[in-house]
Amino acid sequence: MPRRQGSALLIALLVGTAALAALVAFTGSLLFTEPRAKAEAAAGPQGVARTPAAPARSTGLWLATWAAAPVLGATDPEQGPDPSLRTIRNVVHTSIGGDAARITLSNLFGTHPLLVDHVTVNAVPVTFRNAAYVTIPAGGQIISDAVVVPVAADADLVVTLRTPTARGPVTVHPNSHQTSSTEGPQGTRPTTDWRYLTAVDVRGRTATGTLVAFGDSLTAGSGSTTDANSRWPDVLADRLAGRYAVVNQGIGGNRILLSGVGPRALDRFDRDVLAVTGVKTVVIALGINDIQAFPQEGDPARIVDALHTLTERAHTRGLRVIGATLMPYEGQGNWTPARNAVREHVNEAIRAGGVFDEFLDFDLAVRDPSRPNRLLPAYDSGDHLHLNDDGYQRLGSLADVASLLRAQPSSDAL
Protein backbone atom coordinates (compact mmCIF):
# COMPACT_ATOMS: atom_id res chain seq x y z
CA MET A 1 0.00 0.00 0.00
CA PRO A 2 1.59 3.30 -0.98
CA ARG A 3 2.61 5.74 1.70
CA ARG A 4 1.60 9.33 1.31
CA GLN A 5 4.40 11.85 1.38
CA GLY A 6 2.58 15.18 1.81
CA SER A 7 4.27 18.48 1.16
CA ALA A 8 2.86 21.27 3.31
CA LEU A 9 4.16 23.99 0.97
CA LEU A 10 2.63 22.50 -2.17
CA ILE A 11 -0.62 21.47 -0.52
CA ALA A 12 -1.16 25.01 0.76
CA LEU A 13 -1.88 25.91 -2.89
CA LEU A 14 -4.36 23.10 -3.34
CA VAL A 15 -7.92 24.34 -3.90
CA GLY A 16 -9.10 21.79 -6.45
CA THR A 17 -10.48 18.36 -5.91
CA ALA A 18 -8.18 15.36 -6.11
CA ALA A 19 -9.59 12.07 -7.33
CA LEU A 20 -10.81 9.71 -4.67
CA ALA A 21 -8.50 6.81 -3.94
CA ALA A 22 -9.26 3.67 -5.92
CA LEU A 23 -11.55 1.21 -4.22
CA VAL A 24 -9.63 -1.35 -2.24
CA ALA A 25 -10.56 -4.99 -2.61
CA PHE A 26 -11.65 -6.56 0.61
CA THR A 27 -9.09 -8.70 2.35
CA GLY A 28 -10.48 -10.31 5.46
CA SER A 29 -8.32 -10.91 8.49
CA LEU A 30 -8.33 -13.83 10.84
CA LEU A 31 -7.17 -11.43 13.54
CA PHE A 32 -10.37 -9.37 13.41
CA THR A 33 -12.28 -11.47 15.91
CA GLU A 34 -15.84 -11.34 17.16
CA PRO A 35 -16.05 -12.78 20.69
CA ARG A 36 -18.38 -15.68 21.27
CA ALA A 37 -19.70 -14.19 24.50
CA LYS A 38 -21.78 -11.06 23.90
CA ALA A 39 -23.91 -10.92 27.01
CA GLU A 40 -22.31 -7.62 27.96
CA ALA A 41 -22.76 -6.01 24.53
CA ALA A 42 -26.46 -5.16 24.72
CA ALA A 43 -27.51 -2.81 21.94
CA GLY A 44 -28.15 0.79 22.88
CA PRO A 45 -30.04 3.54 21.05
CA GLN A 46 -29.20 3.75 17.38
CA GLY A 47 -28.44 7.47 17.27
CA VAL A 48 -25.04 9.04 16.63
CA ALA A 49 -23.28 11.97 18.22
CA ARG A 50 -23.53 15.12 16.12
CA THR A 51 -22.02 18.54 16.01
CA PRO A 52 -24.34 21.37 14.88
CA ALA A 53 -25.69 20.92 11.38
CA ALA A 54 -25.07 23.00 8.28
CA PRO A 55 -27.73 25.38 6.96
CA ALA A 56 -30.96 23.57 6.11
CA ARG A 57 -30.58 24.33 2.39
CA SER A 58 -27.47 22.13 2.15
CA THR A 59 -27.56 18.52 1.04
CA GLY A 60 -25.32 15.63 1.90
CA LEU A 61 -23.96 13.97 5.01
CA TRP A 62 -21.68 15.72 7.50
CA LEU A 63 -18.86 13.54 8.85
CA ALA A 64 -15.55 14.20 10.54
CA THR A 65 -12.68 13.70 8.11
CA TRP A 66 -9.96 14.54 10.67
CA ALA A 67 -9.66 15.24 14.39
CA ALA A 68 -6.97 15.59 17.06
CA ALA A 69 -7.43 15.26 20.80
CA PRO A 70 -6.45 18.49 22.61
CA VAL A 71 -3.98 18.64 25.49
CA LEU A 72 -2.49 21.42 27.60
CA GLY A 73 0.52 23.13 26.04
CA ALA A 74 2.89 25.53 27.76
CA THR A 75 2.82 29.26 27.13
CA ASP A 76 3.80 29.42 23.49
CA PRO A 77 7.55 30.09 23.24
CA GLU A 78 7.16 31.19 19.63
CA GLN A 79 4.92 34.16 20.42
CA GLY A 80 7.79 36.46 21.37
CA PRO A 81 7.24 39.83 23.03
CA ASP A 82 4.85 40.95 20.29
CA PRO A 83 2.46 38.24 19.09
CA SER A 84 0.67 40.64 16.72
CA LEU A 85 -0.25 39.21 13.33
CA ARG A 86 0.82 35.75 14.44
CA THR A 87 -0.22 33.11 11.91
CA ILE A 88 -0.55 29.35 12.43
CA ARG A 89 -0.72 26.95 9.50
CA ASN A 90 -2.07 23.59 10.63
CA VAL A 91 -1.49 20.88 8.02
CA VAL A 92 -3.83 17.92 8.49
CA HIS A 93 -4.54 14.82 6.42
CA THR A 94 -8.08 13.94 5.39
CA SER A 95 -9.70 10.52 5.37
CA ILE A 96 -12.77 11.38 3.25
CA GLY A 97 -13.67 14.19 0.88
CA GLY A 98 -16.60 16.50 0.35
CA ASP A 99 -17.86 19.72 -1.22
CA ALA A 100 -17.88 21.83 1.96
CA ALA A 101 -16.07 21.97 5.28
CA ARG A 102 -16.41 23.31 8.81
CA ILE A 103 -13.78 23.40 11.53
CA THR A 104 -13.65 23.28 15.32
CA LEU A 105 -11.29 25.60 17.18
CA SER A 106 -10.62 24.97 20.87
CA ASN A 107 -9.36 27.13 23.72
CA LEU A 108 -9.99 24.29 26.17
CA PHE A 109 -6.82 24.81 28.20
CA GLY A 110 -6.54 28.56 27.75
CA THR A 111 -6.83 30.92 30.71
CA HIS A 112 -7.73 33.98 28.60
CA PRO A 113 -10.19 34.57 25.75
CA LEU A 114 -8.61 33.73 22.40
CA LEU A 115 -9.18 36.12 19.48
CA VAL A 116 -8.89 34.53 16.04
CA ASP A 117 -9.30 37.25 13.44
CA HIS A 118 -8.59 35.42 10.18
CA VAL A 119 -9.18 31.78 9.20
CA THR A 120 -8.94 29.94 5.89
CA VAL A 121 -9.32 26.35 4.71
CA ASN A 122 -7.10 25.76 1.69
CA ALA A 123 -7.00 29.57 1.26
CA VAL A 124 -10.82 29.92 1.27
CA PRO A 125 -12.05 32.30 4.03
CA VAL A 126 -13.98 30.84 6.95
CA THR A 127 -16.62 32.68 9.00
CA PHE A 128 -18.20 32.23 12.41
CA ARG A 129 -21.86 33.23 12.53
CA ASN A 130 -21.13 35.23 9.37
CA ALA A 131 -18.24 37.13 10.99
CA ALA A 132 -14.64 36.87 9.82
CA TYR A 133 -13.36 36.77 13.41
CA VAL A 134 -14.29 35.01 16.64
CA THR A 135 -13.35 35.20 20.30
CA ILE A 136 -13.24 31.81 22.01
CA PRO A 137 -13.67 31.99 25.82
CA ALA A 138 -11.21 30.26 28.11
CA GLY A 139 -12.21 26.61 28.32
CA GLY A 140 -14.47 26.87 25.27
CA GLN A 141 -14.60 25.86 21.63
CA ILE A 142 -16.32 27.13 18.49
CA ILE A 143 -17.56 25.45 15.30
CA SER A 144 -17.31 27.52 12.14
CA ASP A 145 -19.94 28.16 9.53
CA ALA A 146 -19.95 25.79 6.59
CA VAL A 147 -17.61 26.96 3.84
CA VAL A 148 -17.95 25.76 0.27
CA VAL A 149 -14.51 24.40 -0.56
CA PRO A 150 -13.63 21.15 -2.34
CA VAL A 151 -11.92 18.74 0.05
CA ALA A 152 -10.23 15.67 -1.38
CA ALA A 153 -9.98 12.35 0.43
CA ASP A 154 -6.49 11.15 1.38
CA ALA A 155 -4.95 14.60 0.94
CA ASP A 156 -3.27 17.28 3.01
CA LEU A 157 -5.47 20.22 3.94
CA VAL A 158 -4.19 23.53 5.34
CA VAL A 159 -6.16 25.39 8.00
CA THR A 160 -4.60 28.80 8.58
CA LEU A 161 -5.54 31.02 11.51
CA ARG A 162 -4.26 34.28 12.94
CA THR A 163 -4.18 34.90 16.70
CA PRO A 164 -3.10 38.52 17.23
CA THR A 165 -3.55 38.60 21.02
CA ALA A 166 -2.83 35.02 22.13
CA ARG A 167 -1.69 34.76 25.76
CA GLY A 168 -1.12 31.98 28.24
CA PRO A 169 -1.34 28.20 27.81
CA VAL A 170 -1.97 26.91 24.32
CA THR A 171 -4.44 24.17 23.46
CA VAL A 172 -2.40 21.82 21.29
CA HIS A 173 -2.00 18.32 20.01
CA PRO A 174 1.75 17.67 20.31
CA ASN A 175 3.92 15.21 18.39
CA SER A 176 1.56 15.06 15.45
CA HIS A 177 4.06 13.43 13.07
CA GLN A 178 2.97 16.06 10.57
CA THR A 179 4.84 19.26 9.70
CA SER A 180 2.90 22.48 10.21
CA SER A 181 4.29 25.99 10.68
CA THR A 182 3.93 29.23 12.62
CA GLU A 183 4.75 32.72 11.42
CA GLY A 184 5.46 35.59 13.80
CA PRO A 185 7.97 38.30 14.65
CA GLN A 186 10.78 35.75 14.63
CA GLY A 187 9.89 34.51 11.16
CA THR A 188 8.39 31.22 9.97
CA ARG A 189 9.17 28.09 11.95
CA PRO A 190 8.19 24.45 11.42
CA THR A 191 6.32 22.66 14.16
CA THR A 192 4.84 19.22 14.75
CA ASP A 193 2.13 20.59 17.05
CA TRP A 194 -1.41 21.27 15.89
CA ARG A 195 -2.58 24.45 17.61
CA TYR A 196 -6.20 25.27 18.52
CA LEU A 197 -7.62 23.15 15.66
CA THR A 198 -9.34 19.97 16.89
CA ALA A 199 -11.67 18.84 14.08
CA VAL A 200 -12.50 19.20 10.41
CA ASP A 201 -15.91 18.02 9.18
CA VAL A 202 -16.84 17.66 5.52
CA ARG A 203 -20.13 17.34 3.67
CA GLY A 204 -20.29 14.59 1.09
CA ARG A 205 -22.35 11.83 -0.45
CA THR A 206 -19.90 8.92 -0.54
CA ALA A 207 -18.89 8.04 3.02
CA THR A 208 -21.46 6.56 5.40
CA GLY A 209 -19.96 6.97 8.87
CA THR A 210 -16.96 7.85 11.03
CA LEU A 211 -14.65 5.50 12.89
CA VAL A 212 -12.78 6.96 15.87
CA ALA A 213 -9.41 5.43 16.79
CA PHE A 214 -9.18 6.09 20.54
CA GLY A 215 -5.79 5.37 22.00
CA ASP A 216 -2.32 6.41 23.15
CA SER A 217 1.01 6.92 21.36
CA LEU A 218 0.62 3.62 19.53
CA THR A 219 -2.48 5.09 17.87
CA ALA A 220 -1.04 8.61 17.57
CA GLY A 221 1.84 7.06 15.62
CA SER A 222 4.99 7.37 17.72
CA GLY A 223 7.82 5.76 15.76
CA SER A 224 6.23 6.45 12.38
CA THR A 225 7.79 8.63 9.69
CA THR A 226 6.88 12.32 9.86
CA ASP A 227 4.62 13.43 6.97
CA ALA A 228 4.25 9.85 5.69
CA ASN A 229 0.76 9.44 7.19
CA SER A 230 1.66 5.88 8.12
CA ARG A 231 -0.07 5.60 11.50
CA TRP A 232 -2.35 2.57 11.67
CA PRO A 233 -5.56 4.67 11.42
CA ASP A 234 -4.12 6.21 8.22
CA VAL A 235 -3.54 2.72 6.82
CA LEU A 236 -7.11 1.75 7.67
CA ALA A 237 -8.40 4.94 6.02
CA ASP A 238 -6.47 4.01 2.87
CA ARG A 239 -8.19 0.63 2.80
CA LEU A 240 -11.60 2.25 3.22
CA ALA A 241 -10.79 4.51 0.24
CA GLY A 242 -13.00 7.47 1.14
CA ARG A 243 -16.08 5.34 1.84
CA TYR A 244 -15.86 5.59 5.63
CA ALA A 245 -14.15 8.33 7.65
CA VAL A 246 -11.36 7.57 10.13
CA VAL A 247 -10.20 10.06 12.75
CA ASN A 248 -7.27 9.60 15.12
CA GLN A 249 -7.90 10.53 18.77
CA GLY A 250 -4.67 9.05 20.13
CA ILE A 251 -2.62 10.95 22.71
CA GLY A 252 0.96 9.92 23.44
CA GLY A 253 1.28 8.80 27.06
CA ASN A 254 -2.47 8.66 27.63
CA ARG A 255 -3.93 6.28 30.21
CA ILE A 256 -7.34 4.89 31.08
CA LEU A 257 -7.37 5.29 34.86
CA LEU A 258 -5.10 8.29 35.58
CA SER A 259 -4.73 11.69 33.94
CA GLY A 260 -1.28 12.81 32.91
CA VAL A 261 -0.53 13.51 29.27
CA GLY A 262 -4.04 14.65 28.49
CA PRO A 263 -7.12 13.80 30.53
CA ARG A 264 -7.55 10.08 31.26
CA ALA A 265 -9.61 8.11 28.76
CA LEU A 266 -12.55 7.82 31.13
CA ASP A 267 -12.76 11.63 31.27
CA ARG A 268 -12.18 12.48 27.60
CA PHE A 269 -14.35 9.78 26.04
CA ASP A 270 -17.44 11.95 25.65
CA ARG A 271 -15.53 14.77 23.95
CA ASP A 272 -13.08 12.74 21.86
CA VAL A 273 -15.42 9.93 20.80
CA LEU A 274 -19.11 10.58 21.38
CA ALA A 275 -19.00 14.18 20.15
CA VAL A 276 -17.25 13.35 16.86
CA THR A 277 -19.48 14.09 13.89
CA GLY A 278 -21.07 10.96 12.44
CA VAL A 279 -19.30 8.52 14.77
CA LYS A 280 -20.64 5.00 14.42
CA THR A 281 -17.64 2.85 15.36
CA VAL A 282 -14.86 3.25 17.93
CA VAL A 283 -11.65 1.25 18.17
CA ILE A 284 -10.27 1.37 21.73
CA ALA A 285 -6.53 0.66 21.99
CA LEU A 286 -5.58 1.67 25.53
CA GLY A 287 -4.11 0.20 28.71
CA ILE A 288 -0.41 -0.31 28.14
CA ASN A 289 0.54 2.99 29.81
CA ASP A 290 -1.51 2.08 32.88
CA ILE A 291 0.68 -1.02 33.15
CA GLN A 292 4.14 0.25 32.25
CA ALA A 293 4.22 3.97 33.22
CA PHE A 294 4.62 5.23 36.79
CA PRO A 295 2.56 4.78 38.90
CA GLN A 296 1.90 1.33 37.50
CA GLU A 297 -1.50 -0.34 37.83
CA GLY A 298 -1.04 -3.85 39.16
CA ASP A 299 -4.65 -5.02 39.10
CA PRO A 300 -5.76 -6.13 35.62
CA ALA A 301 -9.38 -6.19 36.75
CA ARG A 302 -9.37 -2.41 37.17
CA ILE A 303 -8.17 -1.95 33.59
CA VAL A 304 -10.69 -4.45 32.22
CA ASP A 305 -13.54 -2.88 34.18
CA ALA A 306 -12.63 0.56 32.83
CA LEU A 307 -12.55 -0.73 29.26
CA HIS A 308 -15.94 -2.32 29.78
CA THR A 309 -17.26 0.98 31.15
CA LEU A 310 -16.18 2.74 27.94
CA THR A 311 -18.00 0.07 25.92
CA GLU A 312 -21.19 0.58 27.91
CA ARG A 313 -21.01 4.34 27.42
CA ALA A 314 -20.55 3.87 23.68
CA HIS A 315 -23.53 1.52 23.55
CA THR A 316 -25.80 4.18 25.05
CA ARG A 317 -25.13 6.14 21.84
CA GLY A 318 -25.61 3.16 19.54
CA LEU A 319 -21.93 2.77 18.68
CA ARG A 320 -20.14 -0.40 17.66
CA VAL A 321 -17.08 -0.99 19.88
CA ILE A 322 -13.96 -2.77 18.71
CA GLY A 323 -11.12 -3.27 21.18
CA ALA A 324 -7.45 -4.08 20.71
CA THR A 325 -5.26 -6.44 22.70
CA LEU A 326 -2.16 -4.92 24.35
CA MET A 327 1.09 -5.39 22.49
CA PRO A 328 4.28 -6.78 24.06
CA TYR A 329 7.11 -4.50 25.19
CA GLU A 330 9.87 -6.62 26.74
CA GLY A 331 13.19 -4.81 26.27
CA GLN A 332 11.71 -1.43 27.15
CA GLY A 333 13.04 -0.02 30.42
CA ASN A 334 9.83 -0.38 32.45
CA TRP A 335 9.18 -4.02 31.56
CA THR A 336 9.07 -6.60 34.35
CA PRO A 337 7.60 -10.11 34.43
CA ALA A 338 4.95 -8.94 36.91
CA ARG A 339 3.82 -6.09 34.67
CA ASN A 340 3.79 -8.40 31.69
CA ALA A 341 1.50 -10.73 33.63
CA VAL A 342 -0.96 -7.84 34.05
CA ARG A 343 -0.89 -7.27 30.29
CA GLU A 344 -1.53 -10.94 29.61
CA HIS A 345 -4.48 -11.02 32.04
CA VAL A 346 -6.03 -8.01 30.26
CA ASN A 347 -5.56 -9.70 26.90
CA GLU A 348 -7.12 -12.93 28.18
CA ALA A 349 -10.21 -11.01 29.26
CA ILE A 350 -10.46 -9.26 25.88
CA ARG A 351 -10.12 -12.52 23.96
CA ALA A 352 -12.67 -14.27 26.18
CA GLY A 353 -15.37 -11.80 25.13
CA GLY A 354 -17.67 -9.54 27.07
CA VAL A 355 -15.34 -6.49 27.15
CA PHE A 356 -15.91 -5.29 23.56
CA ASP A 357 -18.26 -6.20 20.75
CA GLU A 358 -15.27 -7.44 18.73
CA PHE A 359 -11.51 -7.22 18.99
CA LEU A 360 -8.40 -6.78 16.91
CA ASP A 361 -5.53 -8.95 18.08
CA PHE A 362 -2.74 -6.37 17.92
CA ASP A 363 -0.64 -8.51 20.26
CA LEU A 364 -0.71 -11.59 18.06
CA ALA A 365 -0.15 -9.55 14.91
CA VAL A 366 3.14 -7.92 15.91
CA ARG A 367 4.78 -10.14 18.53
CA ASP A 368 7.85 -12.24 17.83
CA PRO A 369 6.67 -15.88 17.64
CA SER A 370 9.95 -17.09 19.15
CA ARG A 371 9.83 -14.50 21.97
CA PRO A 372 6.16 -13.57 22.37
CA ASN A 373 6.81 -10.94 25.07
CA ARG A 374 8.76 -8.89 22.51
CA LEU A 375 7.83 -7.09 19.32
CA LEU A 376 8.90 -8.72 16.10
CA PRO A 377 12.18 -6.96 15.20
CA ALA A 378 10.84 -6.08 11.74
CA TYR A 379 8.08 -4.02 13.41
CA ASP A 380 10.07 -2.50 16.29
CA SER A 381 10.85 1.24 16.02
CA GLY A 382 13.88 0.61 18.21
CA ASP A 383 12.52 1.33 21.70
CA HIS A 384 10.75 -2.07 21.99
CA LEU A 385 7.44 -0.33 22.72
CA HIS A 386 6.48 1.64 19.60
CA LEU A 387 6.19 0.39 16.05
CA ASN A 388 7.81 1.51 12.82
CA ASP A 389 5.91 2.14 9.59
CA ASP A 390 5.82 -1.57 8.75
CA GLY A 391 4.38 -2.36 12.17
CA TYR A 392 1.65 0.23 11.82
CA GLN A 393 0.94 -1.07 8.33
CA ARG A 394 0.36 -4.48 9.90
CA LEU A 395 -2.06 -3.10 12.50
CA GLY A 396 -3.97 -1.12 9.88
CA SER A 397 -4.43 -4.27 7.80
CA LEU A 398 -6.36 -6.16 10.48
CA ALA A 399 -9.85 -4.67 10.46
CA ASP A 400 -12.56 -6.24 8.31
CA VAL A 401 -13.28 -3.50 5.78
CA ALA A 402 -16.39 -5.16 4.38
CA SER A 403 -17.87 -5.41 7.87
CA LEU A 404 -17.27 -1.71 8.54
CA LEU A 405 -18.87 -0.72 5.26
CA ARG A 406 -22.01 -2.73 6.01
CA ALA A 407 -22.92 -0.28 8.78
CA GLN A 408 -26.10 1.67 8.13
CA PRO A 409 -25.75 5.33 7.06
CA SER A 410 -25.84 7.96 9.79
CA SER A 411 -29.10 9.83 10.35
CA ASP A 412 -27.26 13.18 10.22
CA ALA A 413 -28.31 13.78 6.63
CA LEU A 414 -29.57 17.15 5.51
Side-chain angles (χ1 to χ4, degrees):
M1 186 170 298
R3 294 180 188 148
R4 302 159 297 193
Q5 305 291 336
S7 169
L9 181 60
L10 293 176
I11 297 302
L13 301 176
L14 177 62
V15 293
T17 305
L20 288 175
L23 293 179
V24 178
F26 162 63
T27 303
S29 171
L30 295 178
L31 296 175
F32 182 89
T33 308
E34 188 167 342
R36 292 183 296 273
K38 280 201 166 184
E40 300 293 338
Q46 295 304 306
V48 296
R50 303 180 187 88
T51 50
R57 63 180 178 275
S58 68
T59 60
L61 186 68
W62 282 99
L63 298 170
T65 186
W66 172 90
V71 304
L72 171 64
T75 299
D76 197 334
E78 298 178 17
Q79 286 178 189
D82 179 12
S84 300
L85 302 180
R86 187 164 180 284
T87 300
I88 299 164
R89 293 183 179 88
N90 290 302
V91 179
V92 305
H93 201 83
T94 64
S95 59
I96 60 169
D99 60 10
R102 63 190 183 196
I103 66 170
T104 301
L105 300 180
S106 174
N107 192 25
L108 179 63
F109 297 102
T111 55
H112 300 83
L114 174 69
L115 171 63
V116 181
D117 69 356
H118 182 71
V119 182
T120 62
V121 172
N122 279 355
V124 178
V126 176
T127 60
F128 301 84
R129 297 181 181 178
N130 297 318
Y133 62 89
V134 66
T135 298
I136 309 169
Q141 70 173 27
I142 187 74
I143 299 170
S144 76
D145 301 332
V147 55
V148 176
V149 56
V151 176
D154 189 16
D156 283 358
L157 179 124
V158 181
V159 178
T160 301
L161 52 122
R162 188 169 59 190
T163 58
T165 60
R167 293 187 294 154
V170 182
T171 300
V172 303
H173 181 91
N175 305 315
S176 69
H177 311 289
Q178 190 105 35
T179 303
S180 297
S181 65
T182 62
E183 181 180 346
Q186 289 78 34
T188 300
R189 300 184 181 185
T191 178
T192 56
D193 293 349
W194 288 311
R195 287 170 164 81
Y196 303 117
L197 179 70
T198 58
V200 178
D201 298 342
V202 295
R203 186 184 65 200
R205 297 175 179 81
T206 303
T208 59
T210 299
L211 178 147
V212 176
F214 187 61
D216 49 34
S217 59
L218 291 159
T219 295
S222 291
S224 66
T225 301
T226 298
D227 296 327
N229 300 301
S230 54
R231 316 162 191 87
W232 71 258
D234 297 317
V235 176
L236 177 57
D238 280 344
R239 296 177 62 218
L240 289 163
R243 297 168 291 168
Y244 207 91
V246 178
V247 301
N248 189 332
Q249 296 284 42
I251 298 176
N254 200 228
R255 302 167 67 133
I256 304 171
L257 297 171
L258 293 177
S259 295
V261 183
R264 64 179 186 161
L266 288 167
D267 292 339
R268 69 184 184 96
F269 191 74
D270 286 6
R271 182 193 68 218
D272 293 344
V273 176
L274 301 185
V276 171
T277 305
V279 60
K280 301 177 72 170
T281 303
V282 55
V283 177
I284 300 174
L286 281 161
I288 200 65
N289 288 323
D290 294 82
I291 295 170
Q292 66 89 19
F294 181 83
Q296 291 87 5
E297 176 56 59
D299 183 358
R302 281 174 45 81
I303 296 172
V304 172
D305 288 347
L307 292 171
H308 185 247
T309 295
L310 294 179
T311 297
E312 289 182 321
R313 287 164 62 182
H315 284 167
T316 66
R317 302 296 290 271
L319 305 189
R320 174 186 185 183
V321 184
I322 302 169
T325 55
L326 307 183
M327 291 177 279
Y329 68 101
E330 184 179 358
Q332 192 263 355
N334 289 337
W335 188 90
T336 67
R339 291 169 193 161
N340 188 63
V342 175
R343 180 185 70 88
E344 290 181 331
H345 281 303
V346 172
N347 284 348
E348 288 171 5
I350 291 172
R351 292 179 178 122
V355 181
F356 305 114
D357 300 333
E358 302 146 34
F359 70 91
L360 300 171
D361 207 333
F362 280 9
D363 172 40
L364 181 59
V366 300
R367 71 191 185 195
D368 186 338
S370 64
R371 296 184 299 175
N373 293 326
R374 287 179 176 262
L375 294 173
L376 191 71
Y379 295 152
D380 191 340
S381 68
D383 66 4
H384 311 298
L385 175 64
H386 299 101
L387 305 180
N388 57 23
D389 290 347
D390 289 338
Y392 290 122
Q393 177 76 31
R394 178 69 177 123
L395 296 187
S397 73
L398 300 182
D400 184 336
V401 166
S403 177
L404 290 174
L405 294 175
R406 281 197 297 268
Q408 292 299 309
S410 166
S411 62
D412 192 17
L414 301 171

